[in-house]
Amino acid sequence: WYPDGSSHAIPHRHECWTALMSFGSPRILTIDGHPLLLRDGDLILFGTQRHGVPKMRDPAGTFDEYGGRISAVFFFMPHGQQAQ
């Protein structure tokens, strides 16, 4: 849950793939350092890339303009890559 623009997730990676569905206010998701704007209802699939959610300030320099956002995240391994 990201209540406003001051919330963030430091860049990290998982050993599995990710399906992420975003709900609420738009926020930037970085994947391997590349920013991607996720809007309400967007779905993104990605592998083991490094990813994170940076803090976002409005033009006045505050975090207040960004409303809440939550993600539904599902982790999976593509067929043939599961551990034996």
Side-chain angles (χ1 to χ4, degrees):
W1 165 247
Y2 299 88
D4 58 30
S6 69
S7 301
H8 68 287
I10 61 171
H12 62 283
R13 72 176 70 231
H14 304 281
E15 292 185 17
C16 53
W17 286 40
T18 303
L20 184 149
M21 189 152 197
S22 181
F23 299 99
S25 294
R27 287 294 299 269
I28 297 290
L29 171 71
T30 59
I31 298 179
D32 282 344
H34 301 283
L36 177 67
L37 181 63
L38 294 182
R39 295 182 174 92
D40 186 47
D42 282 351
L43 171 67
I44 184 166
L45 300 173
F46 56 94
T48 60
Q49 291 95 336
R50 191 169 187 77
H51 58 281
V53 177
K55 292 182 179 183
M56 289 180 63
R57 296 180 191 267
D58 59 32
T62 70
F63 299 109
D64 301 334
E65 291 296 315
Y66 296 95
R69 174 183 171 268
I70 194 165
S71 297
V73 181
F74 302 92
F75 299 108
F76 66 98
M77 294 297 288
H79 183 71
Q81 293 187 10
Q82 294 88 354
Q84 300 297 322

